[in-house]
Amino acid sequence: MEFLLADWLGKPLWMWSGFLAIVFALLAFDLGLLNRGDREIGIAQSLRLSAFYIGFACLYGAVVWWAFETGNLKTTDGTHAGVTYFTGFFIEKALSIDNVFVISLIFTFFAIPRRYQYRALVWGIIAVIVLRGLMIGIGAALVQEYDWILFIFGAFLIATGIKMLVVPEAEPDMSKNKIIVFFKKRMRVTDALHGERFFVRLPDSVTGRSLLYATPLFLALVVINIADIIFAVDSVPAIFAITTDPFIVFTANIMAILGLRALYFALAAMVHRFEYLKTALALVLVFIGGKIFWNQIFGKVDPAISLGVTLALILGGVVFSLWKTRGQPAATTHAE
């Protein structure tokens, strides 16, 4: 069992494997029990499940905070593990809400009924965990080897935030999406869904041979995960600006993503009500990016200040959005 004590990215292997065991236990419970069968996830169940995930993430964060305070957990960059975990979690959670609109568009374009959406989303998490892990591992290696890359992260976050503030956002035309066009040209795709299946075997119309076809549900899953990667280009540098400890970066990132899939079904119909959240997120990115330059030139900003400013901006954006859009009808989503 000595290998479990081996160091990997600044933490013993048992700590990494323990966290992954928790994540996959949650996924198994979610996919195997809560989502057994082809049934729709209602808003009430979605909110309950979301509350469970957020509560679990906060409980995990409390354990991280306690472990740091008692000296049982040390960060590779000397930052407060609990404060940076919660700061990263709230930033990632708010940024990931932006995914909801895109995911809703993808499901609507492929005409995926609600009773199949959740299964695709949960399986998507598994791919996201692997992809985010790779991105974070690469990012951690780059930061450790070339600390000046943080300036690039900071400049990128500031530029992204300013772009979000000044460039009007247009609804993407999914029919012209290059990813969808690429896969449809290179794969056999059925016109209709086949339940919750990603692949089916159908006879060829000419030869009669059984051929493997992808279903629209599989294409939706692929496009959603590629969208996750695109969003990660913003979110991963943002959390590295808070802390460069790979374990805190990874755990905060994954905990924020886990609950989003459940929250999707409650938010999809009211995502239009978070109109000003994007402005708040843009300001968060500018603040976090500017903090990198401040840290390198004048000294580190108190992590508690970062957490306070981040929470104030995000909560302010949510509350102001809900107040300004009160009385607006819910958006229609594909739910046949």
Side-chain angles (χ1 to χ4, degrees), residues 61 64-65 80-88 242 248 302-307:
V64 169
W65 194 303
H80 191 294
V83 174
T84 52
Y85 168 85
F86 278 108
T87 306
I242 301 298
I248 301 300
D302 187 338
I305 294 177
S306 296
L307 178 59

Side-chain angles (χ1 to χ4, degrees), residues 272-310:
H272 64 291
R273 303 231 16 222
F274 293 92
E275 179 180 352
Y276 297 95
L277 179 59
K278 186 172 287 291
T279 301
L281 291 176
L283 293 175
V284 169
L285 292 181
V286 172
F287 169 72
I288 296 300
K291 189 171 75 73
I292 291 179
F293 289 91
W294 183 277
N295 286 346
Q296 299 298 321
I297 298 172
F298 301 106
K300 289 192 173 184
V301 176
D302 187 338
I305 294 177
S306 296
L307 178 59
V309 172
T310 299

Side-chain angles (χ1 to χ4, degrees), residues 103-181:
I103 293 172
S104 179
L105 281 178
I106 294 169
F107 280 142
T108 300
F109 175 78
F110 287 107
I112 307 297
R114 287 175 67 94
R115 64 182 180 274
Y116 302 137
Q117 290 176 8
Y118 195 79
R119 200 169 189 85
L121 289 171
V122 174
W123 280 109
I125 292 178
I126 298 174
V128 169
I129 290 173
V130 175
L131 293 172
R132 290 287 177 102
L134 289 173
M135 293 182 72
I136 291 169
I138 293 170
L142 289 173
V143 169
Q144 186 174 8
E145 188 69 23
Y146 312 103
D147 57 356
W148 50 263
I149 204 167
L150 285 173
F151 286 106
I152 297 177
F153 284 174
F156 176 76
L157 292 174
I158 293 173
T160 301
I162 293 174
K163 180 182 177 182
M164 289 170 65
L165 286 171
V166 301
V167 178
E169 187 177 28
E171 182 174 319
D173 185 354
M174 296 301 298
S175 64
K176 297 179 181 179
N177 185 285
K178 293 182 179 179
I179 298 167
I180 296 174
V181 173

Side-chain angles (χ1 to χ4, degrees), residues 66-109:
W66 170 83
F68 180 83
E69 291 289 345
T70 56
N72 294 309
L73 175 65
K74 299 183 184 298
T75 54
T76 56
D77 58 357
T79 56
H80 191 294
V83 174
T84 52
Y85 168 85
F86 278 108
T87 306
F89 172 76
F90 288 123
I91 290 176
E92 295 299 321
K93 195 69 172 177
L95 285 170
S96 61
I97 290 175
D98 216 23
N99 291 19
V100 170
F101 175 66
V102 175
I103 293 172
S104 179
L105 281 178
I106 294 169
F107 280 142
T108 300
F109 175 78

Side-chain angles (χ1 to χ4, degrees), residues 9 14 19 23 40 70 83 114 120 127 131 141 176 188 201 204 222 241 252 299 308 311:
L9 293 178
W14 68 263
F19 176 75
V23 170
E40 294 184 13
T70 56
V83 174
R114 287 175 67 94
L131 293 172
K176 297 179 181 179
R188 291 183 291 269
R201 284 196 169 275
D204 184 76
V222 170
L311 275 176

